[in-house]
Amino acid sequence: MNDTPSQPILAYLAFLRGPLAGKTYPITQTVVTIGRNSTNNVVIIDPKLSRFHARLSVQKGSWWIEKLSQNTTIKVEEESIQRAKLAPNSQIFLGENVSFLFLLTLTPDTTEDAEATLPRKEVQPPGATTAAAPPSEMGIPSLEVVDNTTGSSREYPLIQDVISIGRDQTNTIMLDEPYVSDFHVQLLHQDGQWILLHPHPLRSETAYGLLSSGQRTPGNQPLRQLMKHGDIFRI
């Protein structure tokens, strides 16, 4: 239990890919560093990241991101940058494996749920400024992906209106499994509802199709299905 008065939340990082995928972190300081070293505010153990990879900061009322090393790679909306001003809902890519959304707000009355402390590996314990909570606990629609072989699971926030799922690294949610096609399915947010499309619009078919509601959809059969809370889809 922490009796220290809570600091106001200035922004959120909703991780889509990498070791922190499925986690959303409130930011409570105007300067935040990201990298492998344990002294960073947000620590990400990924071999493709630098020890000190990126810095987020507030300057003249706006959020900026900048590289901390010439050898690092940062992209904002697929464009490589040295330093860039961030707009709400910007998608940021760090190195080859990590991406997150930069958010200024979540749904109303949900920020108090973000109080679970990060594991030691993922954040600097002294004066740590971030905390993690599953997206579903913060009022964000989410997709839980479960590996039936290992039993491991990850929860991904559904923040973008178009979400691609597949084995290719350019997907919003990358599933590096042999039974998943490079572009397998797409999720669309339309008129307040989520719709699943199979196969992905970039492909005419998938290798193993899809199983939903006890019915199998062959890889070459189109499916457009309205998604409801609790639906289970299997690849």
Side-chain angles (χ1 to χ4, degrees):
M1 181 175 179
N2 189 348
D3 295 327
T4 303
S6 61
Q7 296 176 288
I9 296 174
L10 306 177
Y12 300 84
L13 307 184
F15 282 87
L16 304 173
R17 294 175 51 202
L20 305 185
K23 295 181 179 179
T24 301
Y25 298 94
I27 299 301
T28 59
Q29 289 188 347
T30 55
V31 178
V32 174
T33 60
I34 303 174
R36 290 196 335 266
N37 191 279
S38 62
T39 60
N40 287 285
N41 301 107
V42 179
V43 178
I44 306 176
I45 309 301
D46 185 292
K48 298 298 183 179
L49 295 189
S50 298
R51 295 173 64 248
F52 299 95
H53 199 98
R55 176 167 53 216
L56 296 167
S57 61
V58 177
Q59 300 176 25
K60 296 182 179 180
S62 298
W63 279 94
W64 291 76
I65 188 169
E66 59 188 309
K67 296 170 62 172
L68 291 178
S69 168
Q70 291 301 313
N71 296 326
T72 62
T73 300
I74 301 178
K75 293 183 180 180
V76 176
E77 302 296 351
E78 302 288 353
E79 182 178 349
S80 295
I81 60 96
Q82 297 283 334
R83 181 174 180 269
K85 184 177 180 179
L86 294 178
N89 302 322
S90 294
Q91 185 168 1
I92 294 97
F93 300 84
L94 305 179
E96 298 179 7
N97 306 319
V98 176
S99 66
F100 63 88
L101 290 175
F102 175 77
L103 308 173
L104 289 181
T105 59
L106 296 177
T107 55
D109 302 322
T110 57
T111 57
E112 293 182 359
D113 292 324
E115 297 178 353
T117 303
L118 287 176
R120 185 178 180 88
K121 284 185 178 181
E122 298 172 347
V123 73
Q124 176 189 2
T129 63
T130 56
S136 58
E137 292 184 12
M138 303 179 71
I140 304 174
S142 61
L143 179 73
E144 184 179 14
V145 177
V146 179
D147 187 326
N148 290 334
T149 303
T150 64
S152 61
S153 66
R154 280 187 177 178
E155 191 172 348
Y156 295 86
L158 302 183
I159 303 174
Q160 298 169 282
D161 288 333
V162 179
I163 294 178
S164 295
I165 302 175
R167 203 169 67 243
D168 190 272
Q169 290 189 354
T170 60
N171 285 282
T172 315
I173 299 176
M174 184 186 70
L175 304 178
D176 189 16
E177 298 292 346
Y179 48 80
V180 178
S181 296
D182 55 353
F183 294 93
H184 206 99
V185 297
Q186 188 178 80
L187 308 182
L188 297 179
H189 190 222
Q190 296 180 345
D191 300 323
Q193 298 178 317
W194 283 97
I195 299 170
L196 180 141
L197 299 179
H198 171 274
H200 191 286
L202 293 179
R203 296 292 183 265
S204 59
E205 62 180 358
T206 60
Y208 293 97
L210 189 72
L211 184 67
S212 64
S213 303
Q215 296 185 346
R216 177 168 293 281
T217 300
N220 60 357
Q221 180 177 319
L223 175 68
R224 181 184 178 93
Q225 181 169 327
L226 180 66
M227 300 176 67
K228 302 184 299 296
H229 178 71
D231 278 350
I232 298 176
F233 299 90
R234 294 186 179 182
I235 298 175

